[in-house]
Amino acid sequence: MSKWLDNAIFYEIYPQSFNDTNADGIGDFHGIIEKLDYIKELGCNAIWINPCFLSPFGDAGYDVADYCRVAPRYGTNEDLKQVFEEAHKRNMHVLLDLVPGHTSVEHSWFKESMKAEKNEFTDRYIWTNSIWESPEGMASLRGISDRDGSCAINFFSHQPALNYGFYQPDPEKPWQQSFDDKGPQATLAAMEDVMRFWLNMGCDGFRVDMAGSLVKNDPEGKGTIRLWQQVRKFLDAEFPDAAMVSEWGEPDKSLLGGFHMDFLLHFGPSHYNDLFRCDEPFFSKRGKGDISAFVETYKKNYEKTARKGLICIPSGNHDMDRLSRRLQCDELKIAFAFLLSMPGAPFIYYGDEIGMRYVESLKSVEGGYNRTGSRSPMQWDDSTNAGFSTAPSNDLYIPMDPNKNRPTAKASIENPDSLYHEIKKLIQIRQSHESLKSRGTIEFVYAKKDQYPLAYLRESENEKILVVINPSAQAQSFDYNCTFKETIYSFGGEANAENQIVTIPGQSVGFYRI
Ligand code: NOJ
């Protein structure tokens, strides 16, 4: 059962912006293959590629027009197969991005579904029975079809919602179907075909977009959980090794649905933003942050999901501000010491390992809006377009970070004190200690309201490691009775444990075997 997740360290590739090998200003599959060794050298052994399928790109590919054909701008299906093969040769795994909640208006299913005559796709999306009736509680797409009806949308207006039914269909609204009805079951069967197609081609699983919102009017997620349990049966029967990671943000629900791992995200109840993305992030050296609410919700989730699956905390992703928008230099190193010593597989967003900046004031590209600043091209070296592409600068998909001091992978590799090297070291340490890996247990030792530091114990069968993290500039201490037997990692100075008090210098981290 996807055992490899236990020591997986992911690298998220936003394919548009990663590496362009055919000088058209946009990244491609050959570009990914060319950089697999770079990713491996950093220590990552798994990648997640954002949607790379045929699409009008109104939402950067999260508006799929054909689930089984890649977008020509990235290459061919055969090229993607080669990505899987090249990754496997290096003992790496690849997750594709599955977008089961909606399609683009250009998908052939939607074109058929818009027709006035009944056909196989009439019930593939959620339609009311009259253009004058809107689907209550949901935004809708109206007036573009011959069919008389309004179609529910999921995200942007051009992303019609696929029909997986309603948790408790309203008998007064005959267009609301139940998950067990023919239409919703056919939609799910079609989505299983999509999964089958890519898994047979060699992908190792999926990151699933908006996984928690498929069944409608389902506030507690019960219908959606049931849906995913049905998928789990299909996967257990046909692809027991496929890894499933959900964009849900409520691990107790998603793991019950059969996902192996769920993201904590910038939305939802996790308090993830308190760490790195609020006015006073916990990881800022100002020391005015508060991690207690995050820890409290984490603990609850952790207890509820114990032994059922994993919770993962990403460094960032294509939807949120870059980590470096609010944290700099040593603050970033300390943040990564946290990310790389927590349970669940870490996810590093491309470029975060070199401290790539959030590029301010960029014009929105392909539905990015304020997210565009986190999606600028990877900075490889000091050649043209930072080595991302040899196309004229004006042709780049998103402009490069114009800052002349922008970090690059090359300079980071050359500088032994760089963030890149700290991350590489942290990954090596994580991978050589069972207790620090995804399934090592965690017990929080110190995480008090408005207080520093943060301390937790990671434990496996024969090892106990105390992690002490003090992002604040001031030295801190807390009561704890232990003896440090070995320093496994330290940054910014070592802590000491004396007379039942642990004291830790300002802006420092330590992992101690106790
Ligand atoms: C979440 C994705 O990460 C985001 O980029 C996208 O716009 C929405 N889901 C809609 O699919």
Side-chain angles (χ1 to χ4, degrees):
M1 192 208 72
S2 40
K3 207 49 202 126
W4 60 269
L5 281 182
D6 292 359
N7 66 348
I9 302 199
F10 280 90
Y11 191 87
E12 178 189 342
I13 297 181
Y14 190 68
Q16 296 85 321
S17 301
F18 195 55
N19 186 26
D20 171 21
T21 55
N22 64 350
D24 61 355
I26 199 145
D28 45 54
F29 294 133
H30 284 295
I32 295 179
I33 294 172
E34 207 175 84
K35 297 297 182 185
L36 285 176
D37 288 332
Y38 166 84
I39 298 169
K40 177 103 205 223
E41 183 60 29
L42 176 64
C44 295
N45 53 16
I47 56 179
W48 152 32
I49 307 177
N50 290 101
C52 49
F53 314 105
L54 195 72
S55 167
F57 290 101
D59 183 15
Y62 283 94
D63 45 338
V64 177
D66 184 341
Y67 286 103
C68 293
R69 220 182 113 197
V70 301
R73 71 192 202 179
Y74 300 131
T76 61
N77 281 13
E78 274 307 303
D79 295 333
L80 180 54
K81 191 172 174 198
Q82 210 187 332
V83 172
F84 304 149
E85 288 164 0
E86 289 297 324
H88 293 160
K89 272 189 209 159
R90 293 165 175 79
N91 286 324
M92 298 168 87
H93 292 89
V94 184
L95 297 187
L96 291 182
D97 209 318
L98 183 74
V99 191
H102 47 266
T103 67
S104 134
V105 282
E106 291 187 12
H107 198 293
S108 60
W109 298 345
F110 189 64
K111 290 186 181 154
E112 288 299 310
S113 200
M114 281 200 295
K115 291 185 178 162
E117 307 76 36
K118 261 196 177 308
N119 62 52
E120 192 191 335
F121 301 97
T122 300
D123 290 334
R124 182 61 45 102
Y125 298 82
I126 302 171
W127 290 90
T128 64
N129 285 341
S130 152
I131 185 79
W132 311 118
E133 181 184 0
S134 297
E136 208 184 291
M138 285 178 274
S140 66
L141 195 58
R142 302 167 63 225
I144 62 162
S145 62
D146 289 341
R147 175 179 183 161
D148 186 8
S150 310
C151 184
I153 56 161
N154 234 20
F155 196 69
F156 289 151
S157 320
H158 53 73
Q159 288 162 313
L162 284 160
N163 179 22
Y164 297 96
F166 286 71
Y167 182 53
Q168 281 168 329
D170 181 346
E172 308 272 294
K173 301 193 170 85
W175 51 269
Q176 294 193 356
Q177 301 178 346
S178 129
F179 171 55
D180 294 313
D181 286 344
K182 254 169 89 189
Q185 285 294 319
T187 309
L188 189 59
M191 210 42 73
E192 289 179 352
D193 279 344
V194 171
M195 297 170 80
R196 194 177 277 119
F197 180 84
W198 291 111
L199 289 167
N200 277 332
M201 197 170 283
C203 98
D204 299 291
F206 301 94
R207 171 270 187 190
V208 179
D209 188 67
M210 294 175 71
S213 62
L214 299 191
V215 174
K216 303 303 181 197
N217 286 6
D218 184 24
E220 290 169 42
K222 289 185 180 158
T224 302
I225 291 171
R226 228 191 96 207
L227 179 155
W228 286 112
Q229 287 170 341
Q230 189 171 318
V231 175
R232 170 100 328 266
K233 277 197 197 130
F234 144 70
L235 289 172
D236 283 347
E238 293 185 37
F239 302 97
D241 290 332
M244 296 291 285
V245 183
S246 48
E247 186 202 36
W248 194 318
E250 293 176 88
D252 51 332
K253 295 180 181 161
S254 71
L255 301 187
L256 194 57
F259 281 96
H260 298 110
M261 192 152 72
D262 188 34
F263 281 112
L264 293 190
L265 291 160
H266 53 301
F267 59 84
S270 71
H271 284 271
Y272 169 77
N273 287 345
D274 299 359
L275 304 174
F276 321 113
R277 293 177 178 83
C278 62
D279 288 343
E280 290 297 348
F282 180 76
F283 283 93
S284 151
K285 68 166 178 275
R286 287 188 298 276
K288 293 188 178 151
D290 180 11
I291 201 164
S292 59
F294 169 85
V295 170
E296 278 319 303
T297 37
Y298 187 92
K299 278 196 321 211
K300 278 190 204 133
N301 277 320
Y302 186 73
E303 279 155 23
K304 283 194 217 157
T305 57
R307 286 171 297 279
K308 291 197 192 101
L310 303 168
I311 304 171
C312 51
I313 314 176
S315 71
N317 70 24
H318 58 290
D319 292 332
M320 10 175 165
D321 290 359
R322 286 257 182 207
L323 204 55
S324 66
R325 196 173 192 198
R326 302 207 189 234
L327 303 178
Q328 279 102 35
C329 309
D330 288 358
E331 292 172 329
L332 288 170
K333 292 181 180 169
I334 295 170
F336 270 100
F338 164 78
L339 289 164
L340 292 163
S341 63
M342 284 293 282
F347 275 73
I348 300 176
Y349 182 49
Y350 83 96
D352 276 358
E353 75 280 15
I354 58 168
M356 261 175 71
R357 298 183 332 133
Y358 174 88
V359 185
E360 305 287 340
S361 317
L362 282 181
K363 201 173 119 209
S364 175
V365 174
E366 295 187 345
Y369 301 96
N370 64 319
R371 304 176 294 183
T372 309
S374 298
R375 299 175 174 185
S376 61
M378 177 67 183
Q379 294 145 202
W380 293 106
D381 56 34
D382 43 18
S383 64
T384 313
N385 300 322
F388 162 68
S389 167
T390 52
S393 300
N394 285 341
D395 292 355
L396 299 190
Y397 162 76
I398 291 178
M400 302 296 310
D401 178 352
N403 191 309
K404 64 178 189 335
N405 295 322
R406 65 190 175 205
T408 65
K410 179 167 179 276
S412 301
I413 291 169
E414 283 164 5
N415 172 8
D417 293 328
S418 65
L419 175 64
Y420 167 92
H421 281 290
E422 209 60 45
I423 292 176
K424 193 169 162 179
K425 185 161 145 196
L426 282 160
I427 292 179
Q428 278 164 1
I429 290 171
R430 180 182 173 98
Q431 297 298 47
S432 51
H433 290 272
E434 230 24 67
S435 59
L436 292 174
K437 290 187 189 170
S438 294
R439 286 193 192 274
T441 60
I442 185 166
E443 186 190 323
F444 289 91
V445 167
Y446 192 87
K448 293 238 159 66
K449 187 157 179 48
D450 296 325
Q451 304 284 313
Y452 286 74
L454 166 70
Y456 45 89
L457 261 184
R458 298 293 318 274
E459 202 173 337
S460 61
E461 222 170 288
N462 39 28
E463 183 182 57
K464 240 185 196 179
I465 295 180
L466 179 71
V467 175
V468 193
I469 304 183
N470 179 18
S472 80
Q474 273 74 46
Q476 307 285 350
S477 58
F478 62 100
D479 292 345
Y480 190 59
N481 189 7
C482 67
T483 310
F484 292 172
K485 295 189 183 133
E486 184 195 349
T487 302
I488 288 164
Y489 171 78
S490 79
F491 170 81
E494 291 204 23
N496 65 61
E498 263 168 28
N499 305 326
Q500 310 194 9
I501 295 177
V502 174
T503 306
I504 170 163
Q507 284 233 283
S508 75
V509 180
F511 301 173
Y512 305 98
R513 199 163 62 75
I514 61 169

